[in-house]
């Protein structure tokens, strides 16, 4: 079911060049335009599913930073839900019974609620600013988010809001945030891959590997917005300090994906630059198997010798005081 959906604005999936220009000076407008633009294709772009593969991934992120917890939580909120990837897969993985989703993008809330309905999960949703969460104090047992904190202008204020809507003793878990060093090499790899792919597919004998120019232009506009909506990168220790300053206890950050990110960013960028029908089952298997293998290398070997700030993703957890 949808909570107060009639109060929420409608999605706006195709930003014009003029709107993009205006959004370059207004980060929250940019958030809405960019994520509305991505909403209907976001799951496909990031190979998101709601089966065992992504259930295991979401649950793995939760367990990696939060450790063993008494499960399930009664009611959970996903902040900056996107298409619902994190919360819906955590619910399927036994982490929470019921849920709520919020996002600044109406398009993302629409898709998240549609995904929840298709999965038969009890979820409501609101279009909302993460710095002013539209729920009462002491409402949720758990708040989660994936790749959301780096989009929020005032991260500490948002975490104060998270703690406000959590019940005493309630926990938050945020994953998928870019580290400062990881973001540097990931962006460089992405730009290099995009440039190489779009240049080489101009050759006549590779023309059928080139997306239509209109799609490439739209992707370029989205990339321009992405530079505006990605506001922060994080040093893991600094993120822990922000969470503690917001009032959280039992704060802990963990990082992951170093070798896996060095493969993952070129793979994702290449996928975005060529027609999807050119990439069949074999490519998908290579991408997933490669990522999984290198994630194992990261976890079993590299995390013991590489400083945590060099890994691409940082996760953070904390608890609201009192119980």
């Amino acid at each position: 079911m949808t909570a107060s959906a009639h109060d929420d604005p409608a999605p706006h999936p195709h930003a014009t060049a003029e709107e993009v220009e205006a959004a370059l000076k207004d980060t929250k407008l940019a958030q809405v335009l960019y994520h509305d633009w991505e909403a209907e294709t976001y799951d496909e772009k990031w190979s998101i599913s709601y089966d065992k593969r992504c259930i295991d991934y979401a649950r793995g992120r939760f367990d990696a930073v939060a450790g063993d917890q008494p499960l399930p939580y009664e009611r959970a909120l996903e902040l900056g839900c996107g298409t619902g990837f994190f919360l819906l897969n955590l619910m399927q993985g036994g982490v929470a019974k019921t849920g709520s989703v919020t996002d600044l993008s109406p398009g993302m809330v629409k898709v998240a609620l549609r995904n929840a309905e298709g999965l038969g999960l009890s979820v409501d949703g609101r279009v909302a600013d993460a710095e002013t969460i539209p729920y009462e104090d002491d409402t949720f047992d758990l708040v989660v988010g994936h790749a959301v904190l780096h989009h929020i202008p005032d991260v500490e204020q948002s975490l104060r809001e998270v703690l406000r809507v959590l019940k005493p003793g309630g926990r938050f878990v945020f994953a998928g945030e870019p580290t400062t060093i990881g973001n540097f090499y990931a962006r460089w790899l992405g730009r290099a891959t995009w440039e190489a792919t779009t240049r080489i597919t101009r050759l006549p004998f590779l023309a059928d590997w080139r997306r239509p120019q209109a799609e490439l232009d739209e992707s370029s506009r989205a990339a321009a917005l992405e530079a505006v909506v990605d506001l922060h990168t994080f040093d893991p220790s600094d993120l822990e300090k922000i969470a503690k300053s917001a009032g959280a206890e039992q704060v802990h950050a963990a990082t992951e994906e170093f070798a896996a990110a060095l493969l993952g960013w070129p793979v994702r960028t290449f996928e975005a630059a060529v027609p999807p029908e050119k990439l069949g089952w074999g490519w998908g298997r290579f991408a997933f198997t490669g990522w999984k293998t290198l994630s194992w290398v990261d976890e079993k070997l590299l995390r013991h010798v590489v400083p945590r700030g060099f890994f691409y993703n940082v996760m953070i957890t904390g608890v609201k005081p009192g119980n």
Side-chain angles (χ1 to χ4, degrees):
M1 63 179 177
T2 306
S4 303
H6 62 279
D7 295 329
D8 290 340
H12 181 53
H14 298 291
T16 65
E18 291 76 16
E19 288 170 327
V20 170
E21 184 66 26
L24 296 178
K25 302 174 184 178
D26 183 341
T27 183
K28 291 192 178 180
L29 174 60
Q31 301 287 354
V32 174
L33 293 181
Y34 177 75
H35 291 100
D36 271 9
W37 180 85
E38 289 238 302
E40 294 292 339
T41 58
Y42 194 78
D43 283 351
E44 179 182 3
K45 175 182 177 180
W46 294 102
S47 299
I48 290 172
S49 62
Y50 300 89
D51 54 14
K52 186 178 187 302
R53 178 177 65 89
C54 280
I55 293 170
D56 288 348
Y57 176 86
R59 180 63 190 270
R61 309 288 71 71
F62 182 90
D63 292 346
V65 69
D68 291 334
Q69 299 295 325
L71 300 176
Y73 289 85
E74 189 65 34
R75 187 179 181 190
L77 167 69
E78 182 170 12
L79 197 68
C81 63
T83 58
F85 155 72
F86 203 39
L87 178 61
L88 302 186
N89 280 313
L90 287 175
M91 290 176 70
Q92 292 189 103
V95 171
K97 293 181 181 178
T98 63
S100 301
V101 294
T102 64
D103 200 291
L104 199 59
S105 160
M108 289 296 192
V109 173
K110 175 185 175 182
V111 174
L113 291 173
R114 186 174 69 210
N115 285 338
E117 183 178 7
L119 295 167
L121 298 174
S122 178
V123 176
D124 63 69
R126 292 295 311 273
V127 175
D129 190 324
E131 295 174 6
T132 53
I133 301 172
Y135 289 94
E136 299 295 326
D137 297 0
D138 306 334
T139 297
F140 298 98
D141 304 285
L142 174 70
V143 175
V144 301
H146 190 275
V148 59
L149 295 180
H150 69 285
H151 293 310
I152 300 171
D154 191 336
V155 176
E156 186 173 325
Q157 168 60 22
S158 180
L159 290 177
R160 289 194 195 100
E161 279 288 279
V162 166
L163 292 168
R164 179 184 64 78
V165 301
L166 276 171
K167 296 176 182 177
R171 177 176 295 275
F172 64 78
V173 171
F174 290 95
E177 300 298 337
T179 64
T180 300
I181 294 173
N183 183 73
F184 173 80
Y185 62 70
R187 296 295 182 188
W188 187 89
L189 286 169
R191 286 193 297 268
T193 304
W194 179 267
E195 184 69 17
T197 304
T198 54
R199 281 180 179 273
I200 199 170
T201 52
R202 290 194 182 104
L203 297 173
F205 62 91
L206 290 175
D208 59 344
W209 278 83
R210 185 173 177 83
R211 281 186 183 263
Q213 190 61 44
E215 292 183 12
L216 293 175
D217 290 344
E218 190 169 11
S219 292
S220 295
R221 287 201 296 273
L225 282 176
E226 188 174 24
V228 179
V229 302
D230 290 348
L231 301 177
H232 309 289
T233 59
F234 301 102
D235 175 271
S237 296
D238 290 343
L239 187 55
E240 288 172 335
K241 291 176 184 176
I242 292 171
K244 291 175 182 177
S245 181
E249 297 180 344
Q250 301 177 42
V251 172
H252 169 65
T255 56
E256 63 178 357
E257 290 196 22
F258 179 59
L262 297 177
L263 171 70
W265 276 94
V267 163
R268 294 180 191 122
T269 306
F270 180 73
E271 290 171 346
V274 302
E277 63 271 14
K278 289 293 184 180
L279 304 175
W281 177 84
W283 173 267
R285 183 177 181 181
F286 154 74
F288 178 64
T289 303
W291 173 84
K292 195 170 183 178
T293 300
L294 291 177
S295 293
W296 182 91
V297 172
D298 288 335
E299 172 64 21
K300 301 300 182 182
L301 301 176
L302 296 183
R303 76 179 183 91
H304 298 291
V305 295
V306 176
R308 66 176 183 168
F310 281 74
F311 286 72
Y312 178 72
N313 282 324
V314 59
M315 305 171 281
I316 186 84
T317 191
V319 171
K320 180 174 181 174
N323 204 343

